[in-house]
Amino acid sequence: MFDGHCMPVVSCRYNKARDLLATGDLQGDLMIWDMRQPKIPANSFKEAHKGRISGMSWCPWQPDLLATGNTRHQPTLKFWNLLTGLKSRERRVSHEVTSVQWLESEQELISSHKSTPEAIVFWNYPSLERCGTLTNDDDETNSTGLVSVKKSYQMIATSEESDSIYVWDLEQTRESMTSHRGQPSTVLSRRRSLIQLGLMR
């Protein structure tokens, strides 16, 4: 039984390399638990975000680095260095963050967002400059939820409020991306492949 959060925990992510568990709650508190001594948090960040911590992801090539994002109050991407126990950097974003995921092959962070045509945003790390987006093909502004990355094939899958899964082929779409000194690249379009959950292979 862990003792640390005062509000319901809404996100968590395990760090296999360090045997650590990160947890975030409704009021924005972030806790890091050493699973070898889990009774009290190894690190505690009170009000790490303003409001619900909606996404978190450990960096695969820098295992002491954790990325987090929040919804509603001042949506922000934040990065925590567990070696120092301090926030290393942050980036304000315009729409609520629903999830974050590292893209190891490009050393970028992917963030998904709510109520915006820009479903997915790619961020260079450590500069935190936008280097690409994936957008809806229509004018609807759906919420993009869970993001999963298939490393070997450079594909990501996202879920939306329509109860469908969208598969994005980064091998094809990245060919149209051209970065100009950190400025946003060419907008990428979604591949119109709707795969129902039970049929995905």
Side-chain angles (χ1 to χ4, degrees):
M1 183 71 178
F2 296 174
D3 186 13
H5 288 282
C6 298
M7 296 290 287
V9 173
V10 292
S11 59
C12 63
R13 189 62 68 93
Y14 178 62
N15 182 334
K16 183 177 181 180
R18 296 289 186 264
D19 201 17
L20 299 173
L21 179 69
T23 57
D25 65 26
L26 277 175
Q27 70 179 10
D29 291 347
L30 172 65
M31 308 273 181
I32 309 297
W33 309 84
D34 186 336
M35 300 308 292
R36 295 162 294 188
Q37 299 176 338
K39 291 187 177 180
I40 59 173
N43 278 302
S44 178
F45 304 93
K46 292 292 185 181
E47 296 184 358
H49 285 275
K50 294 184 181 297
R52 176 192 183 111
I53 298 179
S54 49
M56 56 177 56
S57 182
W58 293 99
C59 180
W61 66 90
Q62 192 176 332
D64 295 300
L65 180 67
L66 176 71
T68 60
N70 68 310
T71 59
R72 298 187 179 179
H73 306 292
Q74 298 179 9
T76 309
L77 297 172
K78 295 188 178 183
F79 301 83
W80 311 86
N81 188 323
L82 273 298
L83 289 176
T84 62
L86 299 172
K87 179 182 66 179
S88 61
R89 61 188 66 232
E90 67 178 62
R91 173 67 187 251
R92 287 286 301 275
V93 295
S94 57
H95 292 85
E96 298 181 34
V97 178
T98 55
S99 69
V100 294
Q101 181 71 275
W102 292 97
L103 185 62
E104 183 174 6
S105 59
E106 303 295 333
Q107 294 199 354
E108 295 171 352
L109 183 77
I110 303 170
S111 62
S112 62
H113 298 272
K114 183 177 182 180
S115 301
T116 172
E118 295 181 346
I120 301 290
V121 180
F122 294 79
W123 305 91
N124 176 268
Y125 189 85
S127 70
L128 299 186
E129 295 176 334
R130 287 170 54 133
C131 53
T133 58
L134 294 171
T135 66
N136 290 322
D137 290 337
D138 47 41
D139 295 329
E140 296 179 3
T141 54
N142 296 321
S143 297
T144 302
L146 181 66
V147 176
S148 180
V149 178
K150 187 173 181 61
K151 297 179 183 178
S152 58
Y153 294 103
Q154 283 289 284
M155 300 179 75
I156 63 175
T158 66
S159 64
E160 297 191 359
E161 290 180 338
S162 60
D163 296 327
S164 295
I165 291 176
Y166 296 83
V167 177
W168 311 67
D169 189 335
L170 299 186
E171 293 269 358
Q172 296 177 8
T173 56
R174 192 172 286 277
E175 292 178 0
S176 64
M177 292 179 64
T178 54
S179 296
H180 302 284
R181 297 181 181 179
Q183 296 300 312
S185 68
T186 302
V187 173
L188 309 180
S189 295
R190 182 180 64 202
R191 191 178 66 171
R192 302 291 295 186
S193 298
L194 308 185
I195 304 177
Q196 298 303 319
L197 183 60
L199 300 178
M200 190 173 183
R201 292 292 185 269

Short mmCIF file of all heavy atoms in Angstrom, two decimals, residues 95 113-120 134-144 160-164 166 168 190 192 194:
data_model
loop_
_atom_site.label_atom_id
_atom_site.label_comp_id
_atom_site.label_asym_id
_atom_site.label_seq_id
_atom_site.Cartn_x
_atom_site.Cartn_y
_atom_site.Cartn_z
N HIS A 95 -3.37 23.70 -26.24
CA HIS A 95 -4.53 22.84 -26.00
C HIS A 95 -4.20 21.77 -24.97
O HIS A 95 -3.04 21.39 -24.79
CB HIS A 95 -5.00 22.18 -27.30
CG HIS A 95 -5.58 23.15 -28.28
ND1 HIS A 95 -4.79 23.86 -29.16
CD2 HIS A 95 -6.86 23.53 -28.52
CE1 HIS A 95 -5.56 24.64 -29.90
NE2 HIS A 95 -6.81 24.46 -29.54
N HIS A 113 -3.53 15.94 -28.18
CA HIS A 113 -4.25 17.09 -27.63
C HIS A 113 -5.76 16.97 -27.80
O HIS A 113 -6.24 16.22 -28.65
CB HIS A 113 -3.74 18.37 -28.26
CG HIS A 113 -2.30 18.62 -27.99
ND1 HIS A 113 -1.86 19.29 -26.88
CD2 HIS A 113 -1.18 18.22 -28.67
CE1 HIS A 113 -0.53 19.32 -26.89
NE2 HIS A 113 -0.11 18.67 -27.97
N LYS A 114 -6.47 17.76 -27.02
CA LYS A 114 -7.92 17.74 -27.00
C LYS A 114 -8.48 18.97 -27.71
O LYS A 114 -7.95 20.06 -27.59
CB LYS A 114 -8.42 17.73 -25.54
CG LYS A 114 -9.92 17.62 -25.39
CD LYS A 114 -10.31 17.54 -23.92
CE LYS A 114 -11.82 17.39 -23.77
NZ LYS A 114 -12.22 17.29 -22.34
N SER A 115 -9.54 18.74 -28.48
CA SER A 115 -10.31 19.81 -29.12
C SER A 115 -9.47 20.70 -30.02
O SER A 115 -9.50 21.93 -29.94
CB SER A 115 -11.00 20.67 -28.04
OG SER A 115 -11.86 19.88 -27.26
N THR A 116 -8.70 20.06 -30.89
CA THR A 116 -7.92 20.79 -31.87
C THR A 116 -7.70 19.91 -33.10
O THR A 116 -7.55 18.70 -32.96
CB THR A 116 -6.55 21.22 -31.30
OG1 THR A 116 -5.75 21.76 -32.35
CG2 THR A 116 -5.82 20.04 -30.67
N PRO A 117 -7.68 20.49 -34.32
CA PRO A 117 -7.39 19.68 -35.51
C PRO A 117 -6.00 19.07 -35.48
O PRO A 117 -5.75 18.06 -36.13
CB PRO A 117 -7.53 20.69 -36.65
CG PRO A 117 -8.40 21.78 -36.12
CD PRO A 117 -8.04 21.88 -34.67
N GLU A 118 -5.05 19.71 -34.75
CA GLU A 118 -3.70 19.18 -34.66
C GLU A 118 -3.68 18.06 -33.63
O GLU A 118 -3.42 18.26 -32.45
CB GLU A 118 -2.71 20.28 -34.29
CG GLU A 118 -2.60 21.35 -35.36
CD GLU A 118 -1.60 22.42 -35.00
OE1 GLU A 118 -1.19 22.49 -33.83
OE2 GLU A 118 -1.22 23.19 -35.89
N ALA A 119 -3.98 16.85 -34.08
CA ALA A 119 -4.14 15.73 -33.16
C ALA A 119 -2.84 15.37 -32.45
O ALA A 119 -2.82 15.04 -31.27
CB ALA A 119 -4.66 14.51 -33.93
N ILE A 120 -1.73 15.41 -33.20
CA ILE A 120 -0.43 15.02 -32.66
C ILE A 120 0.59 16.11 -32.99
O ILE A 120 0.62 16.62 -34.10
CB ILE A 120 0.07 13.69 -33.29
CG1 ILE A 120 -0.93 12.57 -33.04
CG2 ILE A 120 1.44 13.32 -32.76
CD1 ILE A 120 -1.02 12.11 -31.61
N LEU A 134 0.54 16.13 -36.95
CA LEU A 134 -0.41 15.28 -37.66
C LEU A 134 -1.78 15.88 -37.44
O LEU A 134 -2.16 16.15 -36.30
CB LEU A 134 -0.37 13.84 -37.14
CG LEU A 134 0.92 13.05 -37.35
CD1 LEU A 134 0.87 11.74 -36.59
CD2 LEU A 134 1.15 12.78 -38.83
N THR A 135 -2.54 16.11 -38.51
CA THR A 135 -3.81 16.79 -38.38
C THR A 135 -4.94 15.96 -38.95
O THR A 135 -4.74 15.09 -39.80
CB THR A 135 -3.80 18.15 -39.10
OG1 THR A 135 -3.67 17.92 -40.50
CG2 THR A 135 -2.65 19.01 -38.61
N ASN A 136 -6.15 16.26 -38.49
CA ASN A 136 -7.34 15.64 -39.07
C ASN A 136 -7.52 16.12 -40.50
O ASN A 136 -7.18 17.25 -40.84
CB ASN A 136 -8.58 16.01 -38.25
CG ASN A 136 -8.58 15.34 -36.89
OD1 ASN A 136 -8.18 14.19 -36.77
ND2 ASN A 136 -9.02 16.07 -35.88
N ASP A 137 -8.08 15.27 -41.35
CA ASP A 137 -8.33 15.64 -42.74
C ASP A 137 -9.58 16.49 -42.90
O ASP A 137 -9.81 17.09 -43.95
CB ASP A 137 -8.50 14.39 -43.60
CG ASP A 137 -7.18 13.64 -43.75
OD1 ASP A 137 -6.12 14.27 -43.58
OD2 ASP A 137 -7.23 12.43 -44.03
N ASP A 138 -10.41 16.52 -41.86
CA ASP A 138 -11.64 17.31 -41.94
C ASP A 138 -11.55 18.48 -40.97
O ASP A 138 -10.52 18.74 -40.37
CB ASP A 138 -12.87 16.44 -41.63
CG ASP A 138 -12.66 15.59 -40.38
OD1 ASP A 138 -12.09 16.11 -39.40
OD2 ASP A 138 -13.04 14.41 -40.40
N ASP A 139 -12.65 19.19 -40.82
CA ASP A 139 -12.66 20.38 -39.97
C ASP A 139 -13.07 20.08 -38.54
O ASP A 139 -13.19 20.99 -37.72
CB ASP A 139 -13.61 21.44 -40.55
CG ASP A 139 -13.11 21.96 -41.90
OD1 ASP A 139 -11.89 22.00 -42.08
OD2 ASP A 139 -13.97 22.29 -42.74
N GLU A 140 -13.33 18.82 -38.22
CA GLU A 140 -13.75 18.47 -36.88
C GLU A 140 -12.57 18.60 -35.92
O GLU A 140 -11.41 18.45 -36.28
CB GLU A 140 -14.28 17.04 -36.85
CG GLU A 140 -15.54 16.85 -37.68
CD GLU A 140 -16.01 15.40 -37.63
OE1 GLU A 140 -15.39 14.60 -36.92
OE2 GLU A 140 -17.01 15.11 -38.30
N THR A 141 -12.88 18.89 -34.66
CA THR A 141 -11.85 18.99 -33.63
C THR A 141 -12.11 17.91 -32.60
O THR A 141 -12.83 18.10 -31.63
CB THR A 141 -11.86 20.38 -32.96
OG1 THR A 141 -13.18 20.66 -32.47
CG2 THR A 141 -11.47 21.45 -33.94
N ASN A 142 -11.55 16.74 -32.83
CA ASN A 142 -11.74 15.61 -31.94
C ASN A 142 -10.66 15.56 -30.88
O ASN A 142 -9.59 16.15 -31.03
CB ASN A 142 -11.72 14.30 -32.73
CG ASN A 142 -12.88 14.21 -33.70
OD1 ASN A 142 -13.98 14.63 -33.38
ND2 ASN A 142 -12.62 13.70 -34.89
N SER A 143 -10.92 14.80 -29.83
CA SER A 143 -9.92 14.58 -28.80
C SER A 143 -9.13 13.33 -29.14
O SER A 143 -9.69 12.28 -29.38
CB SER A 143 -10.61 14.40 -27.44
OG SER A 143 -11.30 15.57 -27.07
N THR A 144 -7.83 13.46 -29.18
CA THR A 144 -6.97 12.32 -29.42
C THR A 144 -6.46 11.82 -28.08
O THR A 144 -5.89 12.58 -27.31
CB THR A 144 -5.79 12.70 -30.33
OG1 THR A 144 -6.31 13.19 -31.56
CG2 THR A 144 -4.90 11.50 -30.59
N GLU A 160 -9.50 7.89 -30.59
CA GLU A 160 -10.24 9.14 -30.54
C GLU A 160 -11.64 8.89 -29.99
O GLU A 160 -12.03 7.76 -29.73
CB GLU A 160 -10.31 9.79 -31.93
CG GLU A 160 -8.94 10.18 -32.46
CD GLU A 160 -9.02 11.06 -33.70
OE1 GLU A 160 -10.14 11.33 -34.15
OE2 GLU A 160 -7.96 11.46 -34.19
N GLU A 161 -12.40 9.99 -29.82
CA GLU A 161 -13.73 9.89 -29.23
C GLU A 161 -14.70 9.10 -30.12
O GLU A 161 -15.76 8.70 -29.67
CB GLU A 161 -14.28 11.30 -28.98
CG GLU A 161 -13.56 12.02 -27.84
CD GLU A 161 -14.11 13.40 -27.60
OE1 GLU A 161 -14.72 13.96 -28.54
OE2 GLU A 161 -13.94 13.93 -26.50
N SER A 162 -14.33 8.86 -31.36
CA SER A 162 -15.19 8.13 -32.28
C SER A 162 -15.12 6.61 -32.07
O SER A 162 -15.74 5.86 -32.79
CB SER A 162 -14.81 8.45 -33.72
OG SER A 162 -13.46 8.06 -33.96
N ASP A 163 -14.34 6.18 -31.05
CA ASP A 163 -14.18 4.76 -30.74
C ASP A 163 -13.46 3.99 -31.84
O ASP A 163 -13.62 2.78 -31.96
CB ASP A 163 -15.53 4.08 -30.43
CG ASP A 163 -16.19 4.66 -29.19
OD1 ASP A 163 -15.44 5.04 -28.27
OD2 ASP A 163 -17.41 4.73 -29.14
N SER A 164 -12.71 4.67 -32.65
CA SER A 164 -11.91 4.04 -33.69
C SER A 164 -10.44 4.21 -33.36
O SER A 164 -10.06 5.06 -32.57
CB SER A 164 -12.21 4.64 -35.06
OG SER A 164 -13.54 4.37 -35.45
N TYR A 166 -6.78 5.00 -35.16
CA TYR A 166 -6.17 5.54 -36.36
C TYR A 166 -4.70 5.14 -36.40
O TYR A 166 -3.99 5.27 -35.41
CB TYR A 166 -6.28 7.07 -36.38
CG TYR A 166 -7.71 7.55 -36.46
CD1 TYR A 166 -8.49 7.66 -35.31
CD2 TYR A 166 -8.28 7.88 -37.67
CE1 TYR A 166 -9.81 8.09 -35.37
CE2 TYR A 166 -9.60 8.33 -37.75
CZ TYR A 166 -10.35 8.43 -36.60
OH TYR A 166 -11.65 8.85 -36.66
N TRP A 168 -1.07 5.81 -38.15
CA TRP A 168 -0.33 6.85 -38.86
C TRP A 168 1.00 6.27 -39.32
O TRP A 168 1.78 5.78 -38.51
CB TRP A 168 -0.06 8.05 -37.97
CG TRP A 168 -1.23 8.58 -37.21
CD1 TRP A 168 -1.90 7.95 -36.20
CD2 TRP A 168 -1.86 9.85 -37.36
NE1 TRP A 168 -2.90 8.74 -35.72
CE2 TRP A 168 -2.90 9.91 -36.41
CE3 TRP A 168 -1.64 10.94 -38.20
CZ2 TRP A 168 -3.73 11.02 -36.29
CZ3 TRP A 168 -2.44 12.05 -38.07
CH2 TRP A 168 -3.49 12.09 -37.13
N ARG A 190 -3.46 12.70 -41.98
CA ARG A 190 -3.73 11.37 -41.47
C ARG A 190 -4.01 10.39 -42.61
O ARG A 190 -4.71 10.71 -43.56
CB ARG A 190 -4.97 11.43 -40.56
CG ARG A 190 -5.34 10.11 -39.93
CD ARG A 190 -6.57 10.28 -39.05
NE ARG A 190 -7.74 10.67 -39.82
CZ ARG A 190 -8.80 11.27 -39.30
NH1 ARG A 190 -8.82 11.59 -38.04
NH2 ARG A 190 -9.83 11.58 -40.06
N ARG A 192 -6.12 7.61 -44.01
CA ARG A 192 -7.52 7.34 -43.69
C ARG A 192 -7.78 5.85 -43.53
O ARG A 192 -8.56 5.25 -44.23
CB ARG A 192 -8.41 7.92 -44.79
CG ARG A 192 -8.25 9.40 -45.01
CD ARG A 192 -8.76 10.22 -43.85
NE ARG A 192 -10.19 10.08 -43.70
CZ ARG A 192 -10.90 10.77 -42.84
NH1 ARG A 192 -10.33 11.64 -42.04
NH2 ARG A 192 -12.21 10.59 -42.76
N LEU A 194 -9.24 3.40 -40.85
CA LEU A 194 -9.93 3.24 -39.58
C LEU A 194 -9.99 1.75 -39.26
O LEU A 194 -10.58 0.98 -39.98
CB LEU A 194 -11.35 3.80 -39.66
CG LEU A 194 -11.46 5.23 -40.18
CD1 LEU A 194 -12.89 5.70 -40.10
CD2 LEU A 194 -10.55 6.17 -39.41
#
